[in-house]
Amino acid sequence: MLQVCVVIGHSKPAIDRNDILAVESVLKSGYLAQGPKVGEFESKFSAFLGLKGSVATNSGTSALHLAILALRLKKGDEVIVPSYVCPAVLNAVQSAGLNVRMADIDKRDFNLNVETIKKNLKPRVKAIILPHLFGQAADIEDILKLGIPVIEDCAQSLGSRYKGRRTGTFGIISIFSFYATKMMTTGHGGMVASSSRTLLDRVRDLREFDERKDYIHRYNYKMMDLEAALGMSQLARLESFIKIRKRIAETYTKRFLQCGIDVPEVKPGRDHIFYRYVIKVKRDINRIKKVFLSKGIEVKSPVFMPLHRYSGMAKNRFPNTEMAFRQSISIPIYPGLNEDEIQYIQDTVCEVLKVQ
């Protein structure tokens, strides 16, 4: 049994010697801001996805903001977003001057699906932001059949697949986040990717505001070479990160089913990469969090504050989001966990949540 002297954190980046050397080489070069490393990272990332191009940014939020702007929607147009997602999505839509139409989620995998979207289709809806939540692809093929442009939000799904094809390659444009706790990290940082040269050119034009011949409202959303160097080092290990996460998730699921715990559902045709391992519970969440913390494990709940609560909308319009908010906890799952910690987490989860 692991003797816990410090708390096992909920999330932790996987940094190794190669990552440090990559950043060190840029520091020694003296070229710290956006430069050749950013372009190299963009090329390698595009090749990883199999898309025509990518544009690196300073965050996932700025990537989404630019992706929305690239569609050139008009004032008064609406964008469908899930009610259960990071508030950065809401920020990006509103920063683009567009209206948000919130949709409830699927209660099984916490993603949008065709039915939750259809309930919100109105004449002014001109785009859908589709997150692949917690590392599992949403029903992307069916959603594309609705004929509405889809921005894939792959902040949590980099490297996952839907029917053998990587998420981020289905929609008209896609975005990624490289925040410290994401599937791979550049510290902060993000990426816009697409097979549309027109959209990529628009994003690249909007990313840089200085020394331009004309004036429109542009942004200082550039990535640094420091971040890009770390990104390339991390990208080279992404598949190994995914393999480790899947192995831990398989171990968790096997044990938790024996304890009668409600484990994440993996839908057919999906390659779940387990950015998060989210368990549904039916007890007081705040008390459960305190119990885990007293035993040296940090769990996260609520995983997201529902967007409709920020907007003052009626809770009964979003029953599945409310369920996810009240009955879900996210437990540690990341490559840096050692075998003793993985075993201790399993034992503790079963001890705290086991169905009697």
Side-chain angles (χ1 to χ4, degrees):
M1 176 69 70
L2 177 71
Q3 298 297 313
V4 179
C5 299
V6 295
V7 173
I8 299 173
H10 177 261
S11 303
K12 183 180 179 181
I15 303 297
D16 72 0
R17 179 62 178 163
N18 288 333
D19 296 331
I20 295 169
L21 290 173
V23 173
E24 183 181 357
S25 68
V26 176
L27 288 170
K28 289 179 176 178
S29 76
Y31 207 130
L32 308 187
Q34 180 175 286
K37 291 293 183 183
V38 170
E40 188 179 347
F41 183 32
E42 290 172 339
S43 295
K44 289 188 175 182
F45 195 82
S46 302
F48 175 80
L49 292 176
L51 291 179
K52 286 185 178 178
S54 301
V55 181
T57 64
N58 60 358
S59 73
T61 305
S62 61
L64 182 56
H65 185 206
L66 294 183
I68 296 168
L69 291 175
L71 297 184
R72 294 187 175 175
L73 305 182
K74 298 177 181 178
K75 185 176 181 180
D77 286 345
E78 295 182 340
V79 179
I80 290 178
V81 305
S83 50
Y84 192 61
V85 74
C86 174
V89 174
L90 180 61
N91 293 341
V93 176
Q94 294 188 337
S95 295
L98 302 172
N99 297 328
V100 174
R101 179 166 288 275
M102 295 181 197
D104 202 7
I105 56 171
D106 186 300
K107 64 183 179 181
R108 296 176 298 163
D109 66 356
F110 305 111
N111 280 317
L112 289 175
N113 62 28
V114 170
E115 296 308 315
T116 60
I117 291 172
K118 281 182 178 179
K119 294 175 183 177
N120 289 276
L121 285 182
K122 304 294 180 182
R124 286 191 171 182
V125 170
K126 302 301 180 181
I128 299 165
I129 296 177
L130 184 66
H132 302 294
L133 214 58
F134 304 143
Q136 179 169 205
D139 298 334
I140 180 68
E141 283 188 341
D142 291 337
I143 291 169
L144 287 172
K145 292 176 184 178
L146 296 173
I148 308 293
V150 171
I151 300 172
E152 284 186 81
D153 181 347
C154 303
Q156 301 185 9
S157 70
L158 174 58
S160 68
R161 296 176 185 270
Y162 177 86
K163 296 183 179 179
R165 183 173 160 188
R166 292 195 191 279
T167 56
T169 65
F170 291 85
I172 191 170
I173 198 167
S174 58
I175 69 96
F176 301 81
S177 171
F178 308 128
Y179 180 66
T181 58
K182 290 300 195 291
M183 292 299 298
M184 54 167 277
T185 186
T186 60
H188 279 278
M191 192 77 77
V192 183
S194 180
S195 281
S196 168
R197 292 292 184 192
T198 298
L199 293 180
L200 290 169
D201 287 344
R202 290 175 185 172
V203 169
R204 191 167 282 108
D205 176 62
L206 290 167
R207 179 185 64 178
E208 300 169 42
F209 70 95
D210 200 15
E211 299 180 358
R212 310 307 297 271
K213 293 181 179 179
D214 63 337
Y215 178 81
I216 62 171
H217 194 161
R218 296 181 174 95
Y219 305 86
N220 188 5
Y221 281 169
K222 294 182 286 186
M223 177 180 279
M224 300 187 297
D225 265 22
L226 276 172
E227 297 169 311
L230 177 56
M232 285 187 283
S233 180
Q234 289 265 301
L235 183 61
R237 293 192 291 141
L238 178 59
E239 294 290 5
S240 68
F241 294 162
I242 292 171
K243 185 177 180 179
I244 294 169
R245 285 177 179 271
K246 286 182 176 180
R247 178 182 62 78
I248 297 172
E250 185 178 358
T251 302
Y252 282 172
T253 296
K254 183 177 179 180
R255 177 71 185 280
F256 296 160
L257 286 174
Q258 295 171 351
C259 300
I261 294 170
D262 194 344
V263 300
E265 177 181 343
V266 180
K267 291 176 132 182
R270 272 68 163 183
D271 179 29
H272 200 326
I273 58 172
F274 290 98
Y275 167 68
R276 292 282 184 256
Y277 194 98
V278 178
I279 298 171
K280 296 175 186 175
V281 299
K282 295 183 179 179
R283 302 184 220 168
D284 182 88
I285 289 288
N286 289 326
R287 186 185 69 81
I288 287 173
K289 285 171 63 177
K290 291 177 181 178
V291 171
F292 275 109
L293 195 57
S294 72
K295 295 178 179 294
I297 299 174
E298 180 187 18
V299 301
K300 188 173 181 181
S301 183
V303 183
F304 296 117
M305 175 66 73
L307 298 188
H308 64 264
R309 289 196 173 202
Y310 288 127
S311 303
M313 302 173 72
K315 297 177 185 178
N316 60 9
R317 291 178 55 185
F318 305 91
N320 295 337
T321 296
E322 284 293 318
M323 177 276 296
F325 170 68
R326 294 191 308 268
Q327 299 182 10
S328 298
I329 63 169
S330 175
I331 67 173
I333 182 168
Y334 47 88
L337 290 172
N338 62 46
E339 295 303 317
D340 286 341
E341 289 171 329
I342 293 168
Q343 185 65 54
Y344 181 73
I345 291 167
Q346 291 179 77
D347 293 341
T348 306
V349 169
C350 281
E351 176 189 343
V352 175
L353 301 179
K354 184 175 181 179
V355 177
Q356 302 296 326

